[in-house]
Amino acid sequence: MGIAGRYSSVAGPDGIYFLGYDGVYRFDGVKSVRVSEQIGRSFGKLTEDWVSVVDWASVDSVCRSCFLNGVLFILLPMKDTAGDVSNRVFCYDIFQQMWWELSLDCDYIYSDIGRGKVYGSYYYGSRYKVFELLNTVSGYLPNTSQEPEFVTKSVEFGRSKDGSRVKWLR
């Protein structure tokens, strides 16, 4: 056993979560337990009609994880039956032990515990755009639109006129 994606490990309230070569695991300090049995077919070798599988060739460069209020968010590159690869965010509620998938294609995810939000980013046009994936105030309802009008809502990465790297939008 090992970690399949070098940036997949993240500390949760009940252990360290990481992507292994056949699923997502939780290490409690003594042993590792696979927690991804419910979505196990996604970690197979062959795609099926309704189930995309992890693209293991790009896991190391794509996979990211974060935690917010007992929910693990893990970004995985998924390959469909046509061989097309897109990144998907899988969510695991550690208290209810349930998985769900957000149908969003992101390049990166991160959580802001202080604001109770999870953000995602992707490359759009000539720069990265950051958008709010989930908000604990709204009860983890996902924002499923990546339209440019929505994406420019929070933070825009790039160069501002004063030379700083991050420009906060108001």
Side-chain angles (χ1 to χ4, degrees):
M1 179 181 317
I3 296 178
R6 62 181 149 181
Y7 301 114
S8 70
S9 61
V10 63
D14 60 344
I16 306 293
Y17 287 79
F18 64 93
L19 177 66
Y21 290 97
D22 61 348
V24 177
Y25 286 82
R26 175 180 46 92
F27 178 68
D28 64 5
V30 177
K31 64 183 181 307
S32 294
V33 177
R34 186 171 39 210
V35 297
S36 59
E37 293 296 328
Q38 295 170 344
I39 58 169
R41 294 191 322 180
S42 295
F43 300 99
K45 301 296 181 203
L46 300 173
T47 59
E48 299 176 26
D49 287 340
W50 299 103
V51 179
S52 298
V53 296
V54 172
D55 180 43
W56 294 105
S58 57
V59 158
D60 195 47
S61 62
V62 172
C63 184
R64 301 287 188 272
S65 299
C66 63
F67 244 102
L68 182 64
N69 296 342
V71 178
L72 167 70
F73 299 90
I74 185 165
L75 178 67
L76 295 171
M78 302 300 287
K79 185 179 354 180
D80 63 15
T81 55
D84 297 326
V85 177
S86 61
N87 301 333
R88 295 287 178 240
V89 178
F90 286 84
C91 309
Y92 177 65
D93 186 317
I94 65 168
F95 302 112
Q96 297 179 13
Q97 298 181 348
M98 291 178 50
W99 284 92
W100 69 93
E101 179 183 355
L102 300 179
S103 58
L104 298 169
D105 189 0
C106 304
D107 293 330
Y108 193 81
I109 56 172
Y110 62 96
S111 60
D112 182 345
I113 296 170
R115 291 187 175 104
K117 297 181 180 185
V118 176
Y119 295 96
S121 68
Y122 75 102
Y123 196 73
Y124 180 82
S126 62
R127 60 183 148 220
Y128 277 93
K129 301 287 185 165
V130 176
F131 58 99
E132 183 181 313
L133 280 175
L134 297 168
N135 186 333
T136 55
V137 174
S138 63
Y140 283 119
L141 295 176
N143 294 317
T144 58
S145 171
Q146 288 183 310
E147 296 300 317
E149 296 79 19
F150 178 73
V151 173
T152 57
K153 168 179 173 176
S154 298
V155 180
E156 181 178 308
F157 286 107
R159 292 258 181 217
S160 62
K161 290 183 182 180
D162 66 357
S164 62
R165 295 188 57 114
V166 177
K167 178 178 152 188
W168 294 93
L169 302 177
R170 301 269 178 215

